[in-house]
Amino acid sequence: MSALKVSGRDLAIALDLSGSMVRDDFDLDGRQVTRLEAVQTVGAEFARRRGGDRLALIVFGSEAYYATPFTFDIEAVAQEIETSVIGISGRATNISDGLGLALKRMAESAAASKVVILLSDGVNNAGATKPLGVAELAARMGVRVHTIALGPKDLESAEEGERGVVDARTLRAIAEVSGGESFRVRTTEDLQQVADALDRLEANDSDGLAAEVYRDYWPWPAAAAALLCLFVIAREPA
């Protein structure tokens, strides 16, 4: 058990896992990678810097799911980001449900600060609810939504009918309605700069309170004891 200074913030990461995230149009350490690989690398690093926040991870495609509920265990959230799989939530893009699921859990939160980071590389094409309607709900709840529009091209600049483009305009509007910031990401370097900017926007200086975080350390002494037993048995005469 250890004591952790807490920030008083609930921060939900809503991550697009639609089929277009498999496109390999990003670079990482000099090699071509998929959009998801870039997000996994930068996103996991971001999560590991959020000590003191209560983090949650929502993934969405055709539907939205909680990958991790709100927790102070930032390492668990980082690992979930790193192991996210495209297709687990369907291959369409349901931005409304991804944001809506984050708000549903935040409705029960007593946190002083409530934030959603919503990342998508596509156009909302699933679900019955409009994204701006969900953004208005966020504003009424006092939840800031920071949006990240990911991908080299967006609806405003792409040719008609072009696939794999992001609806940056709608994501900007979601951020504006909820009082958050919007970011346009075309490269891995852009994504890293956004992560740094979010760290500044949502600084996680603690307010002096502390939470108890439990980690399981018993397997280590148990393994040592088992090895000792085996050693003793092996030395006994037949």
Side-chain angles (χ1 to χ4, degrees):
M1 182 183 73
S2 60
L4 173 70
K5 294 291 186 179
V6 300
S7 66
R9 178 187 298 109
D10 277 358
L11 191 156
I13 300 170
L15 176 60
D16 188 341
L17 288 185
S18 60
S20 54
M21 288 290 284
V22 77
R23 289 177 177 264
D24 57 350
D25 48 12
F26 272 63
D27 291 313
L28 183 63
D29 297 329
R31 59 189 179 89
Q32 195 169 25
V33 297
T34 66
R35 299 175 181 183
L36 178 59
E37 288 177 284
V39 169
Q40 286 173 322
T41 299
V42 178
E45 291 175 357
F46 173 78
R48 291 187 172 104
R49 296 198 298 266
R50 304 308 304 179
D53 289 349
R54 258 196 352 151
L55 295 188
L57 176 64
I58 295 96
V59 298
F60 64 92
S62 306
E63 300 179 22
Y65 299 95
Y66 265 108
T68 61
F70 279 105
T71 177
F72 288 111
D73 190 349
I74 57 176
E75 180 60 28
V77 177
Q79 290 179 9
E80 283 291 340
I81 293 172
E82 289 174 329
T83 56
S84 296
V85 177
I86 293 172
I88 192 170
S89 53
R91 302 186 69 85
T93 305
N94 194 339
I95 294 172
S96 299
D97 278 10
L99 178 55
L101 187 57
L103 297 181
K104 181 177 181 180
R105 187 61 61 92
M106 282 183 167
E108 305 171 1
S109 169
S113 179
K114 303 175 187 179
V115 180
V116 177
I117 297 173
L118 171 64
L119 181 147
S120 178
D121 75 331
V123 179
N124 190 75
N125 57 14
T129 309
K130 299 297 183 182
L132 289 184
V134 185
E136 291 168 356
L137 174 60
R140 292 194 296 272
M141 293 175 58
V143 178
R144 295 184 302 281
V145 184
H146 303 307
T147 60
I148 302 172
L150 183 83
K153 293 187 178 182
D154 51 54
L155 284 178
E156 297 167 277
S157 60
E159 297 180 6
E160 185 176 354
E162 190 169 354
R163 299 173 64 86
V165 300
V166 61
D167 188 356
R169 178 181 295 174
T170 294
L171 291 171
R172 281 198 307 271
I174 291 171
E176 290 170 1
V177 166
S178 66
E181 297 288 334
S182 62
F183 301 92
R184 184 69 181 90
V185 168
R186 294 179 173 84
T187 66
T188 307
E189 290 73 21
D190 289 345
L191 189 59
Q192 183 61 67
Q193 290 173 9
V194 168
D196 294 341
L198 288 169
D199 276 337
R200 293 190 295 270
L201 276 171
E202 303 294 342
N204 57 353
D205 293 334
S206 67
D207 60 5
L209 300 176
E212 292 181 345
V213 179
Y214 292 86
R215 296 184 184 277
D216 290 328
Y217 294 109
W218 64 266
W220 299 104
L227 288 173
L228 180 60
C229 289
L230 290 173
F231 176 76
V232 171
I233 293 171
R235 288 181 61 86
E236 290 182 352

